[in-house]
C-alpha cells in the first residue's frame, strides 16, 4: 500500500471530501479536470509535483484531491518495497512477486499474443501493489553483444522490438498502470552510461534507434517515457531539446510525462526548457543548500522556484510539465475504473511458464533432443543449474515468491519419466546472491579447485546416458547486469574447458545457456545440441524441462544475430573502441545486427530469427496480389506453410524486404513482417502479409522525411534472416 503521512483530523476530513467530490464528477473530461486543477494550484504546488519526494514516489496535492504518484521497477516483475529514502528493501513479508522471463526471452517468442499476456499479468501485479507507473518495457537496440543490459531489451531489430512492445504496453495499461518505456534513447552501453556522448547520422537515429519508441508512443499509447543517462550531441538526454521536445513531443505528439532515470538530470535551466517533466533520483544529500529534505534540492525543486520568484524564468514551461504529470495521475492513481489486480496467482505462474516455453531457442540439435524414453541416468553439470537468476542484475532484481531452478525442474520431469538425475558443479562463478538487501538464501561457497571440479564432472559424465551442461552468464557485474558491460564474448569462469572435457568423456552432451546475450562457442562443432534458455524467471526450470522432454515443442527464434567472434560485429570494427567514454560516433550507421552481417557478407554463427523445432516445416512459393505498388498503396504477399514432421509445432514465418534499385545505401534486407504459426503434422496454413508503400521507405536526412524510390523490390520469406525459402519481386510506381 502507499505511504500515507500523518494528517490532522481536520485535514483528513477535507481530503476525504474533495476526493468524494472528484469521484462523482464522471462527466468532467480528463483535459477539463487538468485545466481546472492547474488553475487552482500555486506555483509551489506545481513545482512540488514535478520531482520526487522519496526513492519511488512524487508528491500529489492532497488539498486539491490530487494523489501521489508511485513508481516501481520492472520490467520483469514488481520490485520489493524499499525504505522511504534508501535503496535497501523495507523488510515487508508481503511484497514478493512472480518473476517473469527477461524481455529478451519475450522477444524470442515472436508472439504478440504472448506479449499481451505478459503485459496484462505484470500489470495486474503492479495494480495489486497499488503502483501507478511500471518502469518498463525496455526497447533499446542491441548494438553490441557486450551490452550489460541487453537482457532487459528486445533485440537488435526496431520492427520486432516495437511490435512486441505495443501489446505489452496495452496489457499493462489495461490495469490503470502506466508503462514508462525506457531508456529513451541510445542507451546501448552501461559502463560509461553517464558520460558517453553519442553522435550518429540521422538515418541511423530514425531508422534504427527511434522506431520502437515511436511505435510505443503512437501505437502502444504509453503514458510515460523514461529518459536515458547518456548524452546525445553534447547534451544529456534527460534534458535534450531535440530528442524530447522536437521529436518526442513535437513530431510524435507524445502527451504523456517524461520521467528521468534516477539521477539523470544535471542542470536546472536545461531541465526547464528541454522537455523533462518529473525528476527522480538526483544524487544529492541535501546538505549543500542547508536543507534537511534532499528532495527540495533537486534541479526541478527549490532551484526552479528561485528562478521563478526572481523573474529569471516564467511559468509557461512549468504549466506544461504539470499538465503532463496531472494527466499521468488522472490515468493511473485517479482511475476509477481500473481492476483490483492480483499477485502471485496461478494464472501468473502459468503465464511466466508459457513465455519461457515459447521463448526458449533450440539453436542446434543433431537428434539428441528431446530426451529419449530410454534415458535413465542424467548428469547435470554447471553452476547455473542451481544459481538464482532473479536476485541481482541491477534495478530489475526481484524478490520472487519462488524460483524453480533448472536442476529442480529437470529432476521433477526426469523422475516422472523414471530417470535419475545427478548434479555436479563443474565450475565456480559468482558466490554472491544478494542485491539491495534481498538474498536468495543460497550458499554457493566452494573450496575445491577448478581441476578437481572438472575431474569430477568428467568421471560422472562417462557414466551417464545424457549430460546436460547448464552454464552461460549470470547477473553479476560485467555479465548480464546494469551498470557494467561485458568484457568479452567468451564464456566466463573457464566454462569452455569444462564443456570440452565432458564432451570428450560423453558425446551425448547438450549445452544449455542461461543468458541475455550471445557467447563465443569454440566447441560448437563438438556438441550435439545447444539450447538458449534465457533468464526464465520464477518458472525457469519448469519451462526448460518442458522443452528438453518435448512436452513443449521449441518455437523460440533469436531476436539478435549470434556472431562467431566479437570482431565480426559492426560496433567492434577496427578503430572503434568499446566501451566508449566521452564523444563516440556510431560509424556503422544503419548497418546494425543482421543488416551488417547480410550486407557485408559476414557469416554469423546463428542468424537473426534462427530457431529449430522437433518437427520440420516447409514454406511454399510466395504469391503476390499484384506486381506493383503505388504511392500510399499496398499489396499482399502470401505463402503456404506446412508441418512436414510427425509432431505438432510452431515456427515463425518472417518477411524481409530488399530494395533492388536503391540510389542510397540500403541493407540487404529488412524485417517488415512476422507471424508465429502453430501446425499439426501434415497441416498447411497460408500466411499473408500486407506490404505497404511506407514499408519501402528510408529516412532522407537532408529532406528530414521518409521517402521511397520507384523501382524493383523483393519480398523474401523464410524462418530466419539466413534461411530464405521463397521470394517474389514487385515494383513501386
Amino acid at each position: 500500500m502507499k505511504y500515507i503521512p500523518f494528517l490532522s483530523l481536520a485535514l483528513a476530513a477535507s481530503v476525504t471530501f474533495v476526493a468524494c467530490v472528484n469521484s462523482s464528477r464522471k462527466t468532467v473530461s480528463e483535459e477539463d479536470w487538468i485545466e481546472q486543477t492547474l488553475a487552482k494550484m500555486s506555483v509551489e504546488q506545481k513545482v512540488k509535483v514535478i520531482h520526487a519526494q522519496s526513492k519511488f514516489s512524487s508528491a500529489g496535492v492532497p488539498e486539491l484531491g490530487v494523489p501521489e504518484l508511485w513508481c516501481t521497477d520492472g520490467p520483469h516483475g514488481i520490485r520489493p518495497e524499499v525504505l522511504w529514502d534508501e535503496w535497501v528493501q523495507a523488510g515487508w513479508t508481503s511484497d514478493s512477486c512472480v518473476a517473469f522471463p527477461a524481455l529478451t526471452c519475450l522477444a524470442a517468442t515472436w508472439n504478440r499474443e504472448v506479449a499481451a499476456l505478459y503485459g496484462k499479468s505484470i500489470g495486474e501485479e503492479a495494480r495489486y501493489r497499488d503502483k501507478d507507473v511500471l518502469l518498463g518495457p525496455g526497447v533499446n537496440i542491441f548494438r553490441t553483444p557486450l551490452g550489460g543490459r541487453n537482457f532487459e531489451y528486445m533485440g537488435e531489430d526496431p520492427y520486432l522490438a516495437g511490435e512486441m512492445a505495443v501489446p505489452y504496453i496495452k496489457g499493462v495499461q489495461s490495469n490503470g498502470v502506466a508503462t514508462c518505456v525506457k531508456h529513451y534513447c541510445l542507451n546501448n552501453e552501461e559502463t560509461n552510461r553517464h558520460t558517453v556522448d553519442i553522435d550518429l547520422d540521422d538515418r541511423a537515429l530514425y531508422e534504427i534507434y527511434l522506431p520502437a519508441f515511436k511505435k510505443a508512443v503512437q501505437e502502444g499509447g504509453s503514458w510515460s517515457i523514461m529518459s536515458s543517462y547518456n548524452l546525445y550531441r553534447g547534451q544529456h538526454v534527460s534534458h535534450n531539446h531535440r530528442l524530447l521536445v522536437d521529436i518526442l513531443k513535437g513530431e510524435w505528439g507524445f502527451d504523456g510525462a517524461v520521467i528521468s532515470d534516477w539521477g539523470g538530470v544535471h542542470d536546472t535551466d536545461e531541465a526547464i526548457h528541454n522537455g523533462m517533466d518529473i525528476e527522480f533520483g538526483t544524487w544529492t544529500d541535501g546538505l549543500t543548500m542547508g536543507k534537511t529534505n534532499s528532495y527540495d534540492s533537486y534541479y526541478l525543486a527549490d532551484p526552479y522556484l528561485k528562478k521563478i520568484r526572481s523573474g529569471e524564468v516564467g511559468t509557461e514551461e512549468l504549466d506544461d510539465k504539470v499538465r503532463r504529470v496531472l494527466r499521468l495521475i488522472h490515468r493511473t492513481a485517479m482511475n476509477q475504473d481500473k481492476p483490483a489486480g492480483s499477485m502471485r496467482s496461478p494464472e501468473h505462474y502459468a503465464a511466466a511458464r508459457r513465455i519461457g516455453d515459447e521463448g526458449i531457442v533450440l539453436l542446434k540439435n543433431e537428434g539428441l533432443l528431446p530426451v529419449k524414453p530410454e534415458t535413465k541416468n542424467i548428469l547435470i553439470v554447471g553452476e547455473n543449474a542451481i544459481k538464482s537468476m532473479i536476485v541481482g542484475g541491477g534495478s530489475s532484481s526481484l524478490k520472487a515468491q519462488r524460483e524453480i531452478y533448472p536442476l529442480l525442474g529437470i529432476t521433477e520431469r526426469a523422475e516422472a519419466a523414471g530417470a535419475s538425475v545427478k548434479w555436479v558443479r563443474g565450475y565456480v562463478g559468482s558466490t554472491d546472491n544478494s542485491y539491495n538487501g534481498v538474498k536468495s538464501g543460497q550458499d554457493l561457497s566452494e573450496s575445491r579447485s577448478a581441476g578437481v571440479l572438472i575431474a569430477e564432472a568428467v568421471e560422472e559424465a562417462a557414466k551417464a546416458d545424457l549430460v546436460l551442461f547448464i552454464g552461460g552468464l549470470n547477473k553479476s557485474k560485467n555479465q548480464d547486469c546494469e551498470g557494467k558491460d561485458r568484457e568479452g564474448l567468451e564464456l566466463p569462469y573457464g566454462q569452455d574447458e569444462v564443456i570440452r572435457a565432458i564432451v570428450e568423456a560423453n558425446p551425448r552432451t547438450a549445452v544449455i545457456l542461461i543468458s541475455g546475450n550471445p557467447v563465443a562457442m569454440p566447441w560448437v562443432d563438438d556438441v550435439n545440441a545447444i539450447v538458449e534458455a534465457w533468464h526464465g524467471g520464477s518458472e525457469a526450470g519448469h519451462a526448460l524441462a518442458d522443452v528438453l522432454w518435448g512436452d513443449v515443442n521449441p518455437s523460440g527464434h533469436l531476436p539478435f544475430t549470434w556472431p562467431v567472434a566479437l570482431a565480426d560485429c559492426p560496433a567492434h570494427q577496427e578503430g572503434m573502441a568499446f566501451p566508449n567514454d566521452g564523444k563516440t560516433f556510431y560509424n556503422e550507421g544503419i548497418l546494425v545486427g543482421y543488416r551488417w552481417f547480410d550486407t557485408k557478407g559476414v557469416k554469423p554463427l546463428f542468424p537473426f530469427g534462427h530457431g529449430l523445432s522437433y518437427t520440420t516445416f516447409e514454406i511454399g512459393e510466395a504469391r503476390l496480389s499484384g506486381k506493383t505498388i503505388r504511392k500510399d498503396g499496398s499489396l499482399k504477399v502470401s505463402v503456404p506453410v506446412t508441418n512436414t514432421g510427425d509432431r505438432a509445432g510452431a515456427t515463425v514465418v518472417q518477411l524481409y524486404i530488399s530494395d533492388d534499385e536503391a540510389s542510397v545505401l540500403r541493407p540487404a534486407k529488412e524485417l517488415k513482417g512476422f507471424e508465429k504459426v502453430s501446425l499439426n503434422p501434415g497441416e498447411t496454413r497460408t500466411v499473408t502479409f500486407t506490404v505497404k508503400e511506407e514499408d519501402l521507405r528510408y529516412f532522407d536526412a537532408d529532406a528530414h522525411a521518409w521517402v521511397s524510390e520507384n523501382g524493383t523490390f523483393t519480398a523474401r520469406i523464410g524462418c530466419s534472416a539466413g534461411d530464405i525459402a521463397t521470394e517474389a519481386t514487385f515494383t513501386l510506381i
Side-chain angles (χ1 to χ4, degrees):
M1 62 186 296
K2 295 183 179 179
Y3 173 83
I4 302 175
F6 175 79
L7 300 174
S8 69
L9 184 59
L11 180 54
S14 68
V15 171
T16 303
F17 173 76
V18 172
C20 290
V21 170
N22 281 341
S23 66
S24 67
R25 293 175 180 170
K26 298 291 187 180
T27 59
V28 176
S29 72
E30 179 176 83
E31 294 306 309
D32 286 344
W33 175 82
I34 291 170
E35 294 305 321
Q36 291 169 11
T37 304
L38 184 68
K40 299 173 185 177
M41 295 174 69
S42 66
V43 171
E44 290 75 15
Q45 289 170 330
K46 291 176 182 179
V47 170
K48 189 176 181 181
V49 302
I50 64 170
H51 65 83
Q53 66 171 1
S54 74
K55 283 296 182 192
F56 282 96
S57 72
S58 57
V61 189
E63 56 269 39
L64 296 179
V66 180
E68 302 164 324
L69 191 71
W70 280 79
C71 302
T72 180
D73 267 320
H76 311 135
I78 309 307
R79 184 175 182 148
E81 299 297 330
V82 299
L83 297 174
W84 181 258
D85 196 29
E86 298 180 35
W87 291 109
V88 177
Q89 68 163 333
W92 289 21
T93 58
S94 59
D95 60 344
S96 60
C97 68
V98 172
F100 297 91
L103 289 187
T104 310
C105 180
L106 174 62
T109 70
W110 293 62
N111 190 331
R112 299 172 181 88
E113 179 184 326
V114 169
L117 174 66
Y118 196 130
K120 178 178 180 292
S121 301
I122 195 172
E124 287 171 349
E125 298 230 340
R127 171 66 189 99
Y128 185 86
R129 286 267 298 281
D130 212 10
K131 303 302 182 184
D132 303 311
V133 181
L134 176 73
L135 304 177
V139 296
N140 289 96
I141 296 299
F142 278 36
R143 180 175 177 253
T144 163
L146 302 189
R149 216 163 181 177
N150 281 349
F151 72 98
E152 289 190 50
Y153 300 143
M154 297 201 208
E156 72 186 23
D157 184 76
Y159 179 80
L160 174 62
E163 287 291 298
M164 296 301 288
V166 166
Y168 177 110
I169 291 165
K170 291 181 176 179
V172 171
Q173 294 188 166
S174 69
N175 292 281
V177 176
T179 53
C180 187
V181 180
K182 62 185 187 182
H183 302 86
Y184 180 80
C185 61
L186 302 169
N187 188 171
N188 308 118
E189 58 186 89
E190 287 295 299
T191 299
N192 299 310
R193 59 182 179 168
H194 293 279
T195 56
V196 64
D197 182 6
I198 295 168
D199 198 358
L200 72 170
D201 63 65
D202 271 7
R203 273 199 71 189
L205 180 67
Y206 275 81
E207 292 188 23
I208 304 297
Y209 297 100
L210 292 183
F213 289 102
K214 181 180 181 181
K215 190 166 287 191
V217 168
Q218 295 189 335
E219 296 182 28
S222 184
W223 295 334
S224 64
I225 293 284
M226 181 186 289
S227 61
S228 58
Y229 282 130
N230 51 279
L231 294 86
Y232 166 67
R233 294 185 176 174
Q235 192 173 60
H236 277 97
V237 176
S238 286
H239 26 79
N240 189 290
H241 194 278
R242 186 174 192 225
L243 294 177
L244 298 183
V245 179
D246 296 342
I247 297 175
L248 177 63
K249 296 179 178 180
E251 295 177 16
W252 300 350
F254 177 62
D255 71 351
V258 176
I259 298 175
S260 76
D261 204 343
W262 271 231
V265 176
H266 299 269
D267 183 90
T268 297
D269 285 326
E270 289 195 358
I272 291 171
H273 297 287
N274 294 346
M276 175 49 58
D277 298 317
I278 310 177
E279 178 186 2
F280 270 97
T282 296
W283 314 125
T284 172
D285 61 7
L287 300 179
T288 56
M289 299 178 68
K291 300 289 185 182
T292 57
N293 179 4
S294 64
Y295 299 101
D296 288 338
S297 298
Y298 275 27
Y299 293 104
L300 289 180
D302 283 355
Y304 194 178
L305 271 174
K306 183 178 179 181
K307 288 178 178 291
I308 293 173
R309 288 167 177 162
S310 69
E312 185 178 343
V313 298
T315 58
E316 179 181 354
E317 296 86 0
L318 176 61
D319 285 350
D320 179 69
K321 299 176 193 300
V322 175
R323 283 189 182 95
R324 293 173 180 275
V325 174
L326 291 177
R327 190 175 293 121
L328 179 58
I329 291 173
H330 192 268
R331 292 170 173 175
T332 58
M334 294 185 69
N335 187 339
Q336 298 293 311
D337 299 320
K338 57 189 174 184
S342 57
M343 197 83 181
R344 303 180 297 271
S345 68
E347 292 80 7
H348 292 173
Y349 282 110
R353 187 166 181 169
R354 181 184 174 188
I355 297 160
D357 283 343
E358 289 210 30
I360 292 173
V361 181
L362 181 63
L363 294 172
K364 178 182 179 180
N365 188 31
E366 295 181 354
L368 187 61
L369 297 175
V371 177
K372 306 298 185 290
E374 61 269 21
T375 301
K376 297 303 178 185
N377 300 304
I378 299 173
L379 175 69
I380 297 178
V381 181
E383 181 179 281
N384 279 5
I386 54 93
K387 181 176 174 60
S388 173
M389 294 294 171
I390 290 175
V391 176
S395 60
S396 64
S397 178
L398 300 170
K399 182 169 77 175
Q401 183 186 43
R402 72 172 187 240
E403 180 178 2
I404 305 299
Y405 303 130
L407 177 61
L408 177 57
I410 291 170
T411 300
E412 287 178 356
R413 184 60 182 85
E415 291 178 348
S420 63
V421 174
K422 182 171 185 177
W423 172 78
V424 297
R425 188 160 188 166
Y427 69 91
V428 179
S430 171
T431 59
D432 179 31
N433 273 291
S434 64
Y435 187 83
N436 284 350
V438 178
K439 299 179 180 179
S440 70
Q442 297 177 293
D443 181 3
L444 297 180
S445 59
E446 179 61 70
S447 60
R448 293 173 295 172
S449 68
V452 170
L453 293 175
I454 292 176
E456 178 189 40
V458 168
E459 180 182 355
E460 296 298 333
K463 297 183 289 186
D465 297 331
L466 174 67
V467 181
L468 302 175
F469 175 85
I470 303 180
L473 308 178
N474 59 37
K475 295 292 189 69
S476 300
K477 293 292 186 183
N478 296 119
Q479 297 202 47
D480 287 328
C481 186
E482 178 183 359
K484 289 286 184 181
D485 297 302
R486 296 168 64 197
E487 296 178 335
L489 194 64
E490 64 278 357
L491 280 170
Y493 313 126
Q495 292 177 73
D496 290 335
E497 184 180 355
V498 181
I499 293 170
R500 287 192 180 98
I502 60 176
V503 169
E504 185 175 348
N506 189 338
R508 293 182 57 79
T509 296
V511 172
I512 298 157
L513 299 170
I514 296 174
S515 73
N517 267 307
V519 298
M521 295 185 182
W523 33 261
V524 65
D525 294 330
D526 302 324
V527 298
N528 290 313
I530 306 172
V531 176
E532 173 55 70
W534 314 110
H535 295 291
S538 288
E539 290 291 298
H542 285 153
L544 178 57
D546 289 342
V547 169
L548 292 178
W549 264 264
D551 302 330
V552 169
N553 199 340
S555 63
H557 287 242
L558 289 176
F560 53 70
T561 304
W562 199 296
V564 175
L566 193 61
D568 295 337
C569 301
H572 296 272
Q573 297 306 295
E574 186 176 353
M576 296 177 66
F578 186 90
N580 296 288
D581 197 7
K583 193 75 173 179
T584 182
F585 195 88
Y586 285 9
N587 293 309
E588 72 278 13
I590 61 171
L591 298 182
V592 175
Y594 69 91
R595 289 168 169 81
W596 168 272
F597 284 82
D598 290 352
T599 306
K600 296 292 186 179
V602 179
K603 185 175 176 56
L605 189 60
F606 301 108
F608 172 78
H610 171 75
L612 303 178
S613 170
Y614 296 145
T615 190
T616 54
F617 299 92
E618 181 179 283
I619 295 178
E621 182 181 354
R623 297 188 180 276
L624 301 176
S625 62
K627 282 293 187 180
T628 60
I629 297 182
R630 295 183 179 276
K631 295 291 184 178
D632 299 321
S634 66
L635 61 75
K636 296 186 182 299
V637 185
S638 300
V639 292
V641 185
T642 303
N643 183 339
T644 56
D646 58 3
R647 66 169 67 200
T651 191
V652 179
V653 183
Q654 302 161 37
L655 168 69
Y656 298 86
I657 298 293
S658 303
D659 186 342
D660 301 330
E661 299 179 350
S663 65
V664 298
L665 173 67
R666 301 292 300 268
K669 56 180 175 291
E670 296 179 272
L671 182 71
K672 294 297 181 180
F674 63 87
E675 195 67 41
K676 195 163 198 176
V677 186
S678 298
L679 299 169
N680 292 316
E683 182 181 3
T684 299
R685 186 177 304 170
T686 297
V687 176
T688 300
F689 299 102
T690 298
V691 179
K692 301 177 182 178
E693 179 267 335
E694 64 189 53
D695 296 324
L696 312 179
R697 298 173 183 172
Y698 69 92
F699 189 79
D700 185 332
D702 292 333
H704 195 76
W706 289 90
V707 300
S708 57
E709 295 181 310
N710 291 350
T712 302
F713 292 80
T714 300
R716 308 180 192 276
I717 300 175
C719 292
S720 79
D723 180 22
I724 300 301
T726 184
E727 58 186 49
T729 300
F730 59 92
T731 304
L732 175 66
I733 59 175

